[in-house]
Amino acid sequence: MLEVNLKSRAVTQTSKAYNSACRFGSLLLGATAEGLFKLTGQTDNDHQINAFCKTLTTDLALTNPKRLRHLVLSYKSTEKLLIEAFIDDESIGVYEAPAHPSTITRIRVKLGQGAKGTHLAFKFANINGGSFIIYSATLFFEVLENFTTKEGL
């Protein structure tokens, strides 16, 4: 189950198979066949919470192939942040962004030198149970010509 902390905008996936969740006053509750559980704290049964979010796979409304240049990311994180880029459902690399817990930071991430494809996605993940907030992610890319050939020409 995914949990979203609306105050910090943190997204996490729990190891427990909750079938529903709700906010009751100031409590966040998760329900399973075994009963109700209060969702609190910085850990999941004393284990660090591994959090990630992944964008939808998109062609950016352009059917032509694209060559990725770089990603400009505005974020805050209590630990290092991992950024994984995908082209046509294949990972082209994992990049590490430094921790910046108290200020919104903007960095430029160089992406897969020469990597090209049609459909793109990104995954952002924490390290050591750290929390993170993504404020914006701006992708810079080059649209390539889409050459098609007909047999016999």
Side-chain angles (χ1 to χ4, degrees), residues 81-103:
L81 181 65
L82 295 179
I83 304 151
E84 187 170 8
F86 297 86
I87 295 180
D88 297 331
D89 294 325
E90 296 289 327
S91 176
I92 62 161
V94 178
Y95 311 90
E96 205 172 272
H100 286 281
S102 57
T103 58

Side-chain angles (χ1 to χ4, degrees), residues 75-136:
Y75 71 102
K76 274 205 260 189
S77 65
T78 58
E79 298 284 339
K80 291 178 183 175
L81 181 65
L82 295 179
I83 304 151
E84 187 170 8
F86 297 86
I87 295 180
D88 297 331
D89 294 325
E90 296 289 327
S91 176
I92 62 161
V94 178
Y95 311 90
E96 205 172 272
H100 286 281
S102 57
T103 58
I104 298 173
T105 301
R106 193 166 152 177
I107 63 167
R108 181 177 179 256
V109 181
K110 283 187 172 182
L111 300 170
Q113 300 300 311
K116 57 187 171 185
T118 306
H119 294 86
L120 313 171
F122 292 90
K123 179 179 175 181
F124 304 96
N126 69 348
I127 296 177
N128 299 327
S131 60
F132 63 92
I133 301 171
I134 305 294
Y135 291 96
S136 68

